[in-house]
Amino acid sequence: EPEVTQTPSHQVTQMGQEVILRCVPISNHLYFYWYRQILGQKVEFLVSFYNNEISEKSEIFDDQFSVERPDGSNFTLKIRSTKLEDSAMYFCASIPGTGLIGYTFGSGTRLTVV
Amino acid sequence: GENVEQHPSTLSVQEGDSAVIKCTYSDSASNYFPWYKQELGKRPQLIIDIRSNVGEKKDQRIAVTLNKTAKHFSLHITETQPEDSAVYFCAASKTSYDKVIFGPGTSLSVIP
């Protein structure tokens, strides 16, 4: 079964440093998303991406965040200057163009800001 | 914006019994309601979804019901098994392409 792949699985970074989280969506999927989950809490929407541009972003997704699809396969989330409260599990998700199938989530990147 | 509430926050049932999780949503424009199961330390996995043109959907031991008028939807798991133990999230969105707003989750424990 096709999978959404995320790297790294765990990233520890110093406060104020930049991090890039990487995702490889399923190859024929057209819609891409980033969500985050603070430990023990619900999953929160960050941003959606379609046709090489942001479709929608939440209030969490401020100027410190950016997304990119630098090539035909990778989908990245960059946090420019990490804060302690950015510590969370970050999930990438994708769906095919038909919209008949719900999200397939990646295995996640656990980001720890120290 | 959309707000999804979920009850109960924790649920403990004996193996073989049924479990019911209830959710409400606020945005009448929501038309797509997925349910996710998340085991400890793992990704959310879609287990069933329902669209607003359908009132009920069943897949083996899992069923979902939707009352659009009341903005309620529910997950029913019958003949529960220990491997059903996980956190279950209900969610809502306008379409299956749009952002999904998650409920706070229900931690289900199935006692052997």
Side-chain angles (χ1 to χ4, degrees):
Chain A
E1 188 175 327
E3 282 196 348
V4 176
T5 306
Q6 286 187 244
T7 56
S9 57
H10 190 190
Q11 171 109 36
V12 181
T13 189
Q14 295 275 345
M15 190 168 56
Q17 295 296 304
E18 175 183 286
V19 295
I20 297 176
L21 311 183
R22 290 183 168 80
C23 170
V24 179
I26 295 171
S27 63
N28 63 346
H29 284 195
L30 301 179
Y31 295 81
F32 313 111
Y33 310 83
W34 283 101
Y35 284 77
R36 79 171 186 191
Q37 187 178 31
I38 295 169
L39 188 63
Q41 298 186 24
K42 67 179 175 183
V43 181
E44 298 176 291
F45 169 75
L46 291 178
V47 66
S48 57
F49 192 86
Y50 170 70
N51 203 24
N52 288 319
E53 60 183 33
I54 290 173
S55 309
E56 189 170 359
K57 57 185 180 180
S58 72
E59 59 274 10
I60 302 168
F61 194 89
D62 61 22
D63 292 344
Q64 295 299 314
F65 290 86
S66 62
V67 288
E68 211 176 36
R69 195 147 190 255
D71 53 43
S73 58
N74 290 287
F75 179 49
T76 62
L77 174 70
K78 183 192 291 186
I79 309 174
R80 258 178 280 281
S81 178
T82 49
K83 303 187 281 281
L84 294 175
E85 53 266 38
D86 293 328
S87 295
M89 195 75 160
Y90 287 80
F91 292 105
C92 171
S94 67
I95 62 169
T98 61
L100 294 176
I101 303 172
Y103 287 7
T104 299
F105 279 97
S107 52
T109 293
R110 178 165 297 286
L111 177 66
T112 303
V113 182
V114 297
Chain B
E2 176 65 278
N3 183 49
V4 178
E5 301 288 341
Q6 185 171 350
H7 299 279
S9 57
T10 60
L11 180 59
S12 188
V13 299
Q14 289 291 132
E15 183 177 358
D17 287 351
S18 294
V20 179
I21 301 170
K22 297 185 178 184
C23 292
T24 61
Y25 63 99
S26 60
D27 189 349
S28 56
S30 289
N31 287 301
Y32 175 67
F33 306 91
W35 286 85
Y36 290 88
K37 176 184 180 182
Q38 187 177 34
E39 295 172 358
L40 191 62
K42 298 199 174 175
R43 76 191 81 188
Q45 288 198 295
L46 180 70
I47 55 171
I48 195 167
D49 56 16
I50 190 167
R51 287 173 169 80
S52 61
N53 58 344
V54 173
E56 186 171 352
K57 183 176 178 180
K58 192 172 181 181
D59 183 4
Q60 300 181 350
R61 296 186 296 108
I62 295 172
V64 290
T65 59
L66 171 65
N67 182 331
K68 267 220 100 180
T69 305
K71 299 199 192 100
H72 289 174
F73 58 118
S74 301
L75 176 73
H76 303 248
I77 306 173
T78 58
E79 298 170 29
T80 53
Q81 300 163 5
E83 50 266 38
D84 293 331
S85 296
V87 178
Y88 290 80
F89 292 97
C90 61
S93 73
K94 290 188 173 63
T95 72
S96 52
Y97 299 100
D98 286 298
K99 68 182 180 189
V100 171
I101 303 301
F102 284 76
T106 295
S107 179
L108 173 64
S109 298
V110 180
I111 303 162

